């Protein structure tokens, strides 16, 4: 399994490779991009990349409090020695959840659908609110 920071560096490199400084970066995180990054950057079997990525993010950016799992944003704070923000993998997980909302096409989509997908992705407890616990401003 690759660590959160290994995924972080690989995702940052994949999406910024060939981009000039100051240019916008567009993250399109889906199963295909994770499989490619897993294989070419982390030497993982492509079929295992998505689960490996989610496990790495869950281990670094969530915590169990009693019987509930909540977001722990401290795991995504700061800048690595190489200059990469430590939040790249967490942001990629958020983008993956948004991408997976496409499965909701044809259904009524409202503001809670995104958080429902994100909560499912990281196996979080949502409590009484639409946003996952620990992810409330």
């Amino acid at each position: 399994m690759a660590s959160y920071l290994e995924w972080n560096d690989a995702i940052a490199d994949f999406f910024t490779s060939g981009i000039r400084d100051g240019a916008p970066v567009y993250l399109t995180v889906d199963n295909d991009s994770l499989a490619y990054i897993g294989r070419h950057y982390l030497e993982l079997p492509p079929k295992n990349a998505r689960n490996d990525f989610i496990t790495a993010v869950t281990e670094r950016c969530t915590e169990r409090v009693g019987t509930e799992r909540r977001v722990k944003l401290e795991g995504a704070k700061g800048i690595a020695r190489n200059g990469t923000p430590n939040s790249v993998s967490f942001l990629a997980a958020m983008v993956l959840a948004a991408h997976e909302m496409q499965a909701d096409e044809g259904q009524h989509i409202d503001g809670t659908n995104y958080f429902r997908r994100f909560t499912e992705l990281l196996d979080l407890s949502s409590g009484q609110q639409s946003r996952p616990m620990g992810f409330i401003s």
Side-chain angles (χ1 to χ4, degrees):
M1 182 181 121
S3 73
Y4 175 89
L5 292 177
E6 289 170 324
W7 272 104
N8 203 66
D9 287 344
I11 291 168
D13 190 46
F14 176 73
F15 284 103
T16 62
S17 191
I19 304 274
R20 66 175 167 74
D21 284 347
V25 176
Y26 300 97
L27 294 178
T28 305
V29 182
D30 58 16
N31 291 339
D32 291 338
S33 63
L34 291 173
Y36 184 91
I37 293 166
R39 179 176 182 199
H40 294 283
Y41 287 79
L42 302 170
E43 299 179 359
L44 297 170
K47 66 179 181 167
N48 297 348
R50 181 183 188 279
N51 288 339
D52 189 271
F53 168 71
I54 292 168
T55 299
V57 173
T58 301
E59 287 179 1
R60 172 85 177 216
C61 298
T62 69
E63 65 185 348
R64 188 161 294 284
V65 178
T67 60
E68 303 200 341
R69 180 172 297 283
R70 57 184 276 159
V71 172
K72 180 182 74 173
L73 291 176
E74 292 80 25
K77 289 183 178 176
I79 306 287
R81 288 185 185 160
N82 66 2
T84 303
N86 290 333
S87 57
V88 172
S89 286
F90 185 78
L91 177 61
M94 294 175 69
V95 172
L96 179 62
H99 174 78
E100 291 182 354
M101 283 180 65
Q102 290 180 9
D104 292 336
E105 280 188 45
Q107 299 176 22
H108 174 72
I109 296 177
D110 63 25
T112 62
N113 285 46
Y114 170 75
F115 288 113
R116 182 175 56 81
R117 286 284 182 195
F118 186 71
T119 297
E120 290 171 1
L121 187 73
L122 297 183
D123 191 29
L124 299 169
S125 304
S126 62
Q128 302 277 330
Q129 311 182 25
S130 60
R131 292 183 186 206
M133 293 173 52
F135 201 52
I136 299 171
S137 55

